[in-house]
Every structure is written in structure tokens, then in C-alpha cells.
Amino acid sequence: MARTVLIGGLALGMPGKIHTSVADAFADLKAKGVLRDGMTVMVGGFGLCGIPEQLILALRDSGVKSLTCISNNAGVDDWGLGLLLKTRQIGKMISSYVGENAEFERQYLAGELEIEFNPQGTLAERIRAGGAGIPAFYTATGVGTPVAAGKEIREFCRPSDDTRWQNRTPVATSGTYQQMEPRVRPRGEDVPKRREYVLETGLFADLALVKAHVGDAFGNLVYRKTARNFNPMMATAASFVIAEVEKIVPIGELEADMVHTPGSYVDRLVQTKSEKRIEQRTVRKV
Amino acid sequence: MPLTRDQLAMRAARELRDGFIVNLGIGIPTLVANYIPKGVDVWLQSENGLLGIGPFPDEHAVDPDLINAGKQTITARPGASFFSSSDSFAMIRGGHVDISILGAMQVSQHADIANWMVPGKLVKGMGGAMDLVAGVKRVVVTMEHVAKGDAHKFVPTCTLPLTGKACVDMLITDLAVFQWDKQRAKFILTELAPGATVDEVKAKTGAAFDTAPNLQTITV
């Protein structure tokens, strides 16, 4: 089956992206310069849901250190990115929430680990922007909070908010956001409702490790339920992308309309038997 | 008697309207889902990429690929959809969610909210809270009126680092309900918990607020 898939891929003029094991997918990455100390790695997942768990194990076993990890969370003590914290391979985390990890807490309080907290939507958008070639964008999230400290702030007016006269309908309900001149103290009427936005930059990594449900030899990926989370954006926002999937199907089997990540983004993929650990098993009370 | 956590959730649930897209935070806000009024059908949004949260699963139906923002296993209701984190926060930040009900450590008289960090203590991160308060159409805060030792939580100015500025539309505590009045840029006390008095609320509040002439009692 795997053989057929590989031939299918080659027949389309593509070098084989499918690797038979996680170890095989990582084997030449140091020699190729993809894996190196101090590199930036994006790791998909929300909590332990949709994490590329077997690729994380391989990253640990590769021994690379001083990593900057961009991931929404930091795993738990004995699973996910928690494993790389244990081995002190991570120097910096860019995350939105890291609450479930005691080793993280210890290293952070001891000053051994740097952390940059991003609002979750800002993190997601920074990754999306990085992958889309957008160097920076403005968002209202975080204005007036420590997150915006030292960053550029600009005022814009959203079309539907351009209520120049109170109790009247807006002059425009669609169109482009209008950039506002520096604030002059509002006097009387004719003051559009302006709002402050903070400039956030895009993120791009050396390597992205993503988890999908099904993939094909071209690298087309389909995610499953809430295991999708950060994976699709990360697949677009790194120089080298490895996907861990539960099933590889022959090219042509995935309905083109149903593909979430086009295969061109993916450099390698490997089928694994994921454990898929659950953090908070909650069932209906009988 | 101050409201219990469940009574607080029950009061907050009355803010839901039929057809609303709703995001509920962790803690008391999560309980709101148990008290959605009869005849009101809402779509619960989970920031990790689901619109249409269903009930908790039966033991045999537990799916590690289907969790909520609190990392609990859940189900998806018929008509639900899954999407990426960036799509989820586009929904939140783009103003496509009708109401967000969330907890707070402090709310100020300027409608600022602080709910993500205490300096000197371990910071776990803000998760999606800053996005929710900045982007959702209506922000409702549920919290206990005072902290341990009767420390004020509804304060003139937040002393904790902010989650968002001038963004709270309504504050529901175990003692009272306050509505943000945009014209006056002030909170208005509109409802009292059964047995609570304006004087008691004033004594336990650092923030300035006005009192509505037609003050109501929260029905529980």
C-alpha cells in the first residue's frame, strides 16, 4: 500500500515525501541544515489535542537545543513539548497559555526559560500572516495592556462605526477601514468613532511540525475535528514542514474540495500510531 | 444573601437571546450553559475551533480530537462546524460573536478588565481573553463582588495588568448587576441580589457608579 502511494507520487514527478518512520523523516535533517541549535520551531496543537506527538519525540531525540518554540501551549510534564522542557532543549516559548506544566513553572521562575505571551488570536494571526507573506498587521486585541507596550499604535475607523452624528445611521456601513489623522480633541459633532489598534508582526519558523488526520503522497492534508487548531497556519509558516498523519491514502483519494492544507506546503509526511492523550476526560453525568 | 455561583450563572444566562453566537469562559461562565432559558437556542463557540458545542459525551463516545477551550472532552451538536484557530479568532476579533461571558479579577469604573495576571505570581498566559474582550459585540463579566478579606474587585482603576480597556458592557456579581452606560461613560447599578442593599454594595465597591431609579431585585 505504502509502495503504491510512493509510486503514485513519483509518477507525478514529485520526490518522495512519505517517510516510513519518524526516525527516517528526521534522519538527514541535521546534515541538510534543517535541524540546528537555536532554531525556531512551530508545533501544532491546542493542549494535547492535535499535537504532532511522535514528531516531538523525534525532535527531543535529535538533541537540538536552545530552541525557540512557537506553540499555543507547552504540553504537560510528561507529554508534548513538556518532554523538551524536561531535557532543557527549549530556550524560549511563544505561547498564549502554559498553565498545565509544573516543569515549565519551575524553569520559568528560575529564569532558565524565556516566555513571550501572545493573545491566542494574535498568535494565530501572526502565524497566518507569516505564512501569507504579510510582515505585520494591526489589531485591537491587547491595546492598553502589557502586550502592546512599546509597539506602534494607530487609530482607524471601521466603516460601520463611522457614526458622525449621534442617533443617526452611520454614513458608511461598508468600505475600507479609514486611517485616522492624529487625534485632535473632539469638538462638537463630526467625530467618527475611532479606535486604537496595535501593530503586530508576522511569524515564520525554520521548521513546523504539524499533525493531521489523513494525508496523501503530495502532502495534501485533512484535519479532524478540533485537532485542526493551529496546524493549518503552521503548515504555511515555516521553511520546512513535516506532517504526522494517522493515515496515508493514494493520490486522488482525497476529495479536492475537502483538502484543508494543499500538498505544496508539506515537505515530508509520516504515518504514525498516535496515542492521543486526553487532558480532561469529561463524560456526561448519568 | 449573596448569589451562589449557580444563581450567578442563572442571572447571566438571561442575557442570552435566541440565535446568539456565545463564547463562555472558564469557571462561573461555564455554568451558564446549564441555565439557558427555555425557548432560547444559542450556538456555543469554542475558541479552539468549534461552533456548536454539544453536551459532554457518553463514556463510549469520548474523542481525544474533540475538546473545548478548557481541554475537556465534549461533543458537537448537529449543525456544528470545525475550523482553524485563525478562523476561530477571526470570528471573535471580527465582531461575529454576539456575547462573551467571562470571569475577572478586577473591573474598573472605566469598564476596564483585568483577569490574566498577578505580578509576582506565576503567569499562565492570557489565552484568548484579550481577543474576546476586544472583539466580541457584548462583554459580560461574572465575578464575586469582593475577593478574600473583602478586598475590592470593582475598583476605581485596575491595579492589575489589563486584559482590555473600556470593554465591559455588563458586570454581574453575587451582590448586584451593573450596566455600562455609554452616554454617561459610567456603570449604573440596576439590580440587587435578594437581601442586598445599596449601602452594602457601596461599602464593598471602590468604583464610582450611579444607581438606577427603578432598581430591581434579581429573581432567583
Side-chain angles (χ1 to χ4, degrees), chain B residues 176-200:
Chain B
V177 176
F178 302 87
Q179 304 270 2
W180 179 251
D181 185 322
K182 262 189 192 143
Q183 299 313 108
R184 280 143 81 181
K186 228 173 178 189
F187 275 108
I188 313 294
L189 170 65
T190 55
E191 295 170 48
L192 286 171
T197 63
V198 176
D199 285 342
E200 181 190 4

PDB file of all heavy atoms in Angstrom, chain B residues 176-200:
ATOM      1  N   ALA B 176     -24.839  42.226  42.946  1.00  0.00           N
ATOM      2  CA  ALA B 176     -25.524  43.245  42.143  1.00  0.00           C
ATOM      3  C   ALA B 176     -25.235  43.100  40.654  1.00  0.00           C
ATOM      4  O   ALA B 176     -24.318  42.377  40.247  1.00  0.00           O
ATOM      5  CB  ALA B 176     -25.078  44.636  42.609  1.00  0.00           C
ATOM      6  N   VAL B 177     -26.053  43.815  39.864  1.00  0.00           N
ATOM      7  CA  VAL B 177     -25.850  43.888  38.420  1.00  0.00           C
ATOM      8  C   VAL B 177     -25.614  45.348  38.031  1.00  0.00           C
ATOM      9  O   VAL B 177     -26.350  46.236  38.485  1.00  0.00           O
ATOM     10  CB  VAL B 177     -27.077  43.342  37.657  1.00  0.00           C
ATOM     11  CG1 VAL B 177     -26.896  43.517  36.148  1.00  0.00           C
ATOM     12  CG2 VAL B 177     -27.323  41.876  38.001  1.00  0.00           C
ATOM     13  N   PHE B 178     -24.572  45.588  37.229  1.00  0.00           N
ATOM     14  CA  PHE B 178     -24.254  46.939  36.755  1.00  0.00           C
ATOM     15  C   PHE B 178     -24.249  46.933  35.227  1.00  0.00           C
ATOM     16  O   PHE B 178     -23.674  46.038  34.610  1.00  0.00           O
ATOM     17  CB  PHE B 178     -22.865  47.373  37.233  1.00  0.00           C
ATOM     18  CG  PHE B 178     -22.705  47.364  38.725  1.00  0.00           C
ATOM     19  CD1 PHE B 178     -22.315  46.207  39.390  1.00  0.00           C
ATOM     20  CD2 PHE B 178     -22.937  48.518  39.462  1.00  0.00           C
ATOM     21  CE1 PHE B 178     -22.150  46.191  40.766  1.00  0.00           C
ATOM     22  CE2 PHE B 178     -22.775  48.520  40.843  1.00  0.00           C
ATOM     23  CZ  PHE B 178     -22.377  47.353  41.499  1.00  0.00           C
ATOM     24  N   GLN B 179     -24.892  47.941  34.643  1.00  0.00           N
ATOM     25  CA  GLN B 179     -24.896  48.090  33.187  1.00  0.00           C
ATOM     26  C   GLN B 179     -24.015  49.276  32.827  1.00  0.00           C
ATOM     27  O   GLN B 179     -24.105  50.326  33.464  1.00  0.00           O
ATOM     28  CB  GLN B 179     -26.318  48.381  32.676  1.00  0.00           C
ATOM     29  CG  GLN B 179     -27.358  47.363  33.061  1.00  0.00           C
ATOM     30  CD  GLN B 179     -27.495  46.236  32.048  1.00  0.00           C
ATOM     31  OE1 GLN B 179     -26.773  46.199  31.045  1.00  0.00           O
ATOM     32  NE2 GLN B 179     -28.417  45.318  32.305  1.00  0.00           N
ATOM     33  N   TRP B 180     -23.199  49.117  31.799  1.00  0.00           N
ATOM     34  CA  TRP B 180     -22.367  50.221  31.333  1.00  0.00           C
ATOM     35  C   TRP B 180     -23.218  51.176  30.507  1.00  0.00           C
ATOM     36  O   TRP B 180     -23.901  50.763  29.568  1.00  0.00           O
ATOM     37  CB  TRP B 180     -21.205  49.695  30.497  1.00  0.00           C
ATOM     38  CG  TRP B 180     -20.318  50.781  29.956  1.00  0.00           C
ATOM     39  CD1 TRP B 180     -20.219  51.181  28.660  1.00  0.00           C
ATOM     40  CD2 TRP B 180     -19.416  51.599  30.711  1.00  0.00           C
ATOM     41  NE1 TRP B 180     -19.305  52.190  28.556  1.00  0.00           N
ATOM     42  CE2 TRP B 180     -18.789  52.482  29.799  1.00  0.00           C
ATOM     43  CE3 TRP B 180     -19.083  51.686  32.061  1.00  0.00           C
ATOM     44  CZ2 TRP B 180     -17.851  53.423  30.197  1.00  0.00           C
ATOM     45  CZ3 TRP B 180     -18.138  52.620  32.459  1.00  0.00           C
ATOM     46  CH2 TRP B 180     -17.530  53.478  31.525  1.00  0.00           C
ATOM     47  N   ASP B 181     -23.213  52.448  30.885  1.00  0.00           N
ATOM     48  CA  ASP B 181     -23.955  53.467  30.152  1.00  0.00           C
ATOM     49  C   ASP B 181     -22.963  54.231  29.276  1.00  0.00           C
ATOM     50  O   ASP B 181     -22.139  54.991  29.773  1.00  0.00           O
ATOM     51  CB  ASP B 181     -24.649  54.405  31.144  1.00  0.00           C
ATOM     52  CG  ASP B 181     -25.537  55.426  30.435  1.00  0.00           C
ATOM     53  OD1 ASP B 181     -25.144  55.917  29.346  1.00  0.00           O
ATOM     54  OD2 ASP B 181     -26.616  55.735  30.978  1.00  0.00           O
ATOM     55  N   LYS B 182     -23.074  54.012  27.961  1.00  0.00           N
ATOM     56  CA  LYS B 182     -22.104  54.599  27.026  1.00  0.00           C
ATOM     57  C   LYS B 182     -22.155  56.126  27.038  1.00  0.00           C
ATOM     58  O   LYS B 182     -21.130  56.796  27.024  1.00  0.00           O
ATOM     59  CB  LYS B 182     -22.394  54.114  25.597  1.00  0.00           C
ATOM     60  CG  LYS B 182     -21.491  52.953  25.207  1.00  0.00           C
ATOM     61  CD  LYS B 182     -21.623  52.619  23.727  1.00  0.00           C
ATOM     62  CE  LYS B 182     -20.950  51.287  23.469  1.00  0.00           C
ATOM     63  NZ  LYS B 182     -21.636  50.471  22.484  1.00  0.00           N
ATOM     64  N   GLN B 183     -23.372  56.685  27.054  1.00  0.00           N
ATOM     65  CA  GLN B 183     -23.523  58.142  27.008  1.00  0.00           C
ATOM     66  C   GLN B 183     -22.833  58.788  28.198  1.00  0.00           C
ATOM     67  O   GLN B 183     -22.106  59.756  28.060  1.00  0.00           O
ATOM     68  CB  GLN B 183     -25.000  58.560  27.045  1.00  0.00           C
ATOM     69  CG  GLN B 183     -25.884  58.078  25.909  1.00  0.00           C
ATOM     70  CD  GLN B 183     -25.303  58.278  24.526  1.00  0.00           C
ATOM     71  OE1 GLN B 183     -24.905  57.309  23.899  1.00  0.00           O
ATOM     72  NE2 GLN B 183     -25.249  59.504  24.035  1.00  0.00           N
ATOM     73  N   ARG B 184     -23.111  58.204  29.380  1.00  0.00           N
ATOM     74  CA  ARG B 184     -22.570  58.807  30.601  1.00  0.00           C
ATOM     75  C   ARG B 184     -21.183  58.280  30.946  1.00  0.00           C
ATOM     76  O   ARG B 184     -20.560  58.779  31.881  1.00  0.00           O
ATOM     77  CB  ARG B 184     -23.526  58.530  31.774  1.00  0.00           C
ATOM     78  CG  ARG B 184     -24.716  59.491  31.768  1.00  0.00           C
ATOM     79  CD  ARG B 184     -25.995  58.819  32.199  1.00  0.00           C
ATOM     80  NE  ARG B 184     -26.116  58.704  33.661  1.00  0.00           N
ATOM     81  CZ  ARG B 184     -27.171  58.125  34.243  1.00  0.00           C
ATOM     82  NH1 ARG B 184     -28.143  57.634  33.511  1.00  0.00           N
ATOM     83  NH2 ARG B 184     -27.237  58.054  35.552  1.00  0.00           N
ATOM     84  N   ALA B 185     -20.733  57.247  30.211  1.00  0.00           N
ATOM     85  CA  ALA B 185     -19.445  56.604  30.490  1.00  0.00           C
ATOM     86  C   ALA B 185     -19.347  56.235  31.968  1.00  0.00           C
ATOM     87  O   ALA B 185     -18.398  56.566  32.660  1.00  0.00           O
ATOM     88  CB  ALA B 185     -18.285  57.507  30.066  1.00  0.00           C
ATOM     89  N   LYS B 186     -20.367  55.532  32.426  1.00  0.00           N
ATOM     90  CA  LYS B 186     -20.457  55.174  33.838  1.00  0.00           C
ATOM     91  C   LYS B 186     -21.242  53.880  34.001  1.00  0.00           C
ATOM     92  O   LYS B 186     -22.129  53.585  33.185  1.00  0.00           O
ATOM     93  CB  LYS B 186     -21.203  56.299  34.580  1.00  0.00           C
ATOM     94  CG  LYS B 186     -20.509  56.735  35.849  1.00  0.00           C
ATOM     95  CD  LYS B 186     -21.175  57.936  36.465  1.00  0.00           C
ATOM     96  CE  LYS B 186     -20.422  58.258  37.757  1.00  0.00           C
ATOM     97  NZ  LYS B 186     -21.109  59.263  38.539  1.00  0.00           N
ATOM     98  N   PHE B 187     -20.935  53.140  35.052  1.00  0.00           N
ATOM     99  CA  PHE B 187     -21.748  51.971  35.363  1.00  0.00           C
ATOM    100  C   PHE B 187     -22.983  52.396  36.151  1.00  0.00           C
ATOM    101  O   PHE B 187     -22.920  53.286  36.995  1.00  0.00           O
ATOM    102  CB  PHE B 187     -20.947  50.967  36.201  1.00  0.00           C
ATOM    103  CG  PHE B 187     -20.103  50.044  35.362  1.00  0.00           C
ATOM    104  CD1 PHE B 187     -18.722  50.180  35.341  1.00  0.00           C
ATOM    105  CD2 PHE B 187     -20.686  49.028  34.615  1.00  0.00           C
ATOM    106  CE1 PHE B 187     -17.937  49.336  34.571  1.00  0.00           C
ATOM    107  CE2 PHE B 187     -19.917  48.173  33.843  1.00  0.00           C
ATOM    108  CZ  PHE B 187     -18.535  48.328  33.818  1.00  0.00           C
ATOM    109  N   ILE B 188     -24.110  51.745  35.847  1.00  0.00           N
ATOM    110  CA  ILE B 188     -25.359  52.011  36.550  1.00  0.00           C
ATOM    111  C   ILE B 188     -25.741  50.744  37.311  1.00  0.00           C
ATOM    112  O   ILE B 188     -25.834  49.665  36.701  1.00  0.00           O
ATOM    113  CB  ILE B 188     -26.506  52.345  35.558  1.00  0.00           C
ATOM    114  CG1 ILE B 188     -26.049  53.375  34.501  1.00  0.00           C
ATOM    115  CG2 ILE B 188     -27.745  52.812  36.311  1.00  0.00           C
ATOM    116  CD1 ILE B 188     -25.734  54.738  35.030  1.00  0.00           C
ATOM    117  N   LEU B 189     -25.955  50.868  38.601  1.00  0.00           N
ATOM    118  CA  LEU B 189     -26.453  49.743  39.394  1.00  0.00           C
ATOM    119  C   LEU B 189     -27.922  49.549  39.052  1.00  0.00           C
ATOM    120  O   LEU B 189     -28.737  50.446  39.271  1.00  0.00           O
ATOM    121  CB  LEU B 189     -26.280  50.051  40.890  1.00  0.00           C
ATOM    122  CG  LEU B 189     -26.949  49.096  41.881  1.00  0.00           C
ATOM    123  CD1 LEU B 189     -26.342  47.703  41.808  1.00  0.00           C
ATOM    124  CD2 LEU B 189     -26.865  49.642  43.300  1.00  0.00           C
ATOM    125  N   THR B 190     -28.263  48.390  38.492  1.00  0.00           N
ATOM    126  CA  THR B 190     -29.649  48.183  38.060  1.00  0.00           C
ATOM    127  C   THR B 190     -30.379  47.110  38.854  1.00  0.00           C
ATOM    128  O   THR B 190     -31.600  47.094  38.909  1.00  0.00           O
ATOM    129  CB  THR B 190     -29.712  47.795  36.568  1.00  0.00           C
ATOM    130  OG1 THR B 190     -28.880  46.658  36.370  1.00  0.00           O
ATOM    131  CG2 THR B 190     -29.236  48.940  35.675  1.00  0.00           C
ATOM    132  N   GLU B 191     -29.634  46.184  39.438  1.00  0.00           N
ATOM    133  CA  GLU B 191     -30.285  45.092  40.174  1.00  0.00           C
ATOM    134  C   GLU B 191     -29.477  44.750  41.418  1.00  0.00           C
ATOM    135  O   GLU B 191     -28.244  44.845  41.411  1.00  0.00           O
ATOM    136  CB  GLU B 191     -30.374  43.830  39.294  1.00  0.00           C
ATOM    137  CG  GLU B 191     -31.255  43.989  38.077  1.00  0.00           C
ATOM    138  CD  GLU B 191     -31.111  42.793  37.122  1.00  0.00           C
ATOM    139  OE1 GLU B 191     -31.164  41.644  37.576  1.00  0.00           O
ATOM    140  OE2 GLU B 191     -30.922  43.047  35.920  1.00  0.00           O
ATOM    141  N   LEU B 192     -30.186  44.332  42.460  1.00  0.00           N
ATOM    142  CA  LEU B 192     -29.541  43.878  43.700  1.00  0.00           C
ATOM    143  C   LEU B 192     -29.893  42.419  43.949  1.00  0.00           C
ATOM    144  O   LEU B 192     -30.996  41.972  43.617  1.00  0.00           O
ATOM    145  CB  LEU B 192     -30.031  44.702  44.886  1.00  0.00           C
ATOM    146  CG  LEU B 192     -29.521  46.144  45.020  1.00  0.00           C
ATOM    147  CD1 LEU B 192     -30.290  46.853  46.125  1.00  0.00           C
ATOM    148  CD2 LEU B 192     -28.021  46.161  45.298  1.00  0.00           C
ATOM    149  N   ALA B 193     -28.961  41.680  44.550  1.00  0.00           N
ATOM    150  CA  ALA B 193     -29.265  40.317  44.974  1.00  0.00           C
ATOM    151  C   ALA B 193     -30.287  40.394  46.103  1.00  0.00           C
ATOM    152  O   ALA B 193     -30.320  41.386  46.840  1.00  0.00           O
ATOM    153  CB  ALA B 193     -27.998  39.625  45.449  1.00  0.00           C
ATOM    154  N   PRO B 194     -31.127  39.368  46.249  1.00  0.00           N
ATOM    155  CA  PRO B 194     -32.137  39.395  47.324  1.00  0.00           C
ATOM    156  C   PRO B 194     -31.456  39.639  48.673  1.00  0.00           C
ATOM    157  O   PRO B 194     -30.508  38.953  49.022  1.00  0.00           O
ATOM    158  CB  PRO B 194     -32.744  37.989  47.273  1.00  0.00           C
ATOM    159  CG  PRO B 194     -32.476  37.491  45.889  1.00  0.00           C
ATOM    160  CD  PRO B 194     -31.197  38.128  45.458  1.00  0.00           C
ATOM    161  N   GLY B 195     -31.909  40.639  49.379  1.00  0.00           N
ATOM    162  CA  GLY B 195     -31.349  40.913  50.704  1.00  0.00           C
ATOM    163  C   GLY B 195     -30.218  41.913  50.691  1.00  0.00           C
ATOM    164  O   GLY B 195     -29.874  42.478  51.732  1.00  0.00           O
ATOM    165  N   ALA B 196     -29.621  42.147  49.547  1.00  0.00           N
ATOM    166  CA  ALA B 196     -28.508  43.107  49.476  1.00  0.00           C
ATOM    167  C   ALA B 196     -29.064  44.526  49.457  1.00  0.00           C
ATOM    168  O   ALA B 196     -30.182  44.756  49.010  1.00  0.00           O
ATOM    169  CB  ALA B 196     -27.670  42.856  48.237  1.00  0.00           C
ATOM    170  N   THR B 197     -28.295  45.471  49.958  1.00  0.00           N
ATOM    171  CA  THR B 197     -28.726  46.874  49.957  1.00  0.00           C
ATOM    172  C   THR B 197     -27.708  47.712  49.194  1.00  0.00           C
ATOM    173  O   THR B 197     -26.563  47.309  49.011  1.00  0.00           O
ATOM    174  CB  THR B 197     -28.807  47.436  51.393  1.00  0.00           C
ATOM    175  OG1 THR B 197     -27.484  47.397  51.955  1.00  0.00           O
ATOM    176  CG2 THR B 197     -29.759  46.635  52.251  1.00  0.00           C
ATOM    177  N   VAL B 198     -28.171  48.892  48.764  1.00  0.00           N
ATOM    178  CA  VAL B 198     -27.281  49.810  48.041  1.00  0.00           C
ATOM    179  C   VAL B 198     -26.085  50.169  48.927  1.00  0.00           C
ATOM    180  O   VAL B 198     -24.951  50.224  48.475  1.00  0.00           O
ATOM    181  CB  VAL B 198     -28.036  51.078  47.597  1.00  0.00           C
ATOM    182  CG1 VAL B 198     -27.072  52.075  46.942  1.00  0.00           C
ATOM    183  CG2 VAL B 198     -29.150  50.717  46.622  1.00  0.00           C
ATOM    184  N   ASP B 199     -26.355  50.378  50.214  1.00  0.00           N
ATOM    185  CA  ASP B 199     -25.279  50.741  51.133  1.00  0.00           C
ATOM    186  C   ASP B 199     -24.233  49.626  51.231  1.00  0.00           C
ATOM    187  O   ASP B 199     -23.031  49.892  51.249  1.00  0.00           O
ATOM    188  CB  ASP B 199     -25.848  51.045  52.525  1.00  0.00           C
ATOM    189  CG  ASP B 199     -26.541  52.401  52.550  1.00  0.00           C
ATOM    190  OD1 ASP B 199     -26.278  53.200  51.621  1.00  0.00           O
ATOM    191  OD2 ASP B 199     -27.340  52.648  53.472  1.00  0.00           O
ATOM    192  N   GLU B 200     -24.711  48.394  51.305  1.00  0.00           N
ATOM    193  CA  GLU B 200     -23.781  47.263  51.377  1.00  0.00           C
ATOM    194  C   GLU B 200     -22.921  47.207  50.118  1.00  0.00           C
ATOM    195  O   GLU B 200     -21.699  47.038  50.173  1.00  0.00           O
ATOM    196  CB  GLU B 200     -24.563  45.946  51.543  1.00  0.00           C
ATOM    197  CG  GLU B 200     -23.648  44.729  51.641  1.00  0.00           C
ATOM    198  CD  GLU B 200     -24.407  43.402  51.549  1.00  0.00           C
ATOM    199  OE1 GLU B 200     -25.643  43.433  51.330  1.00  0.00           O
ATOM    200  OE2 GLU B 200     -23.741  42.358  51.658  1.00  0.00           O
TER     201      GLU B 200
END
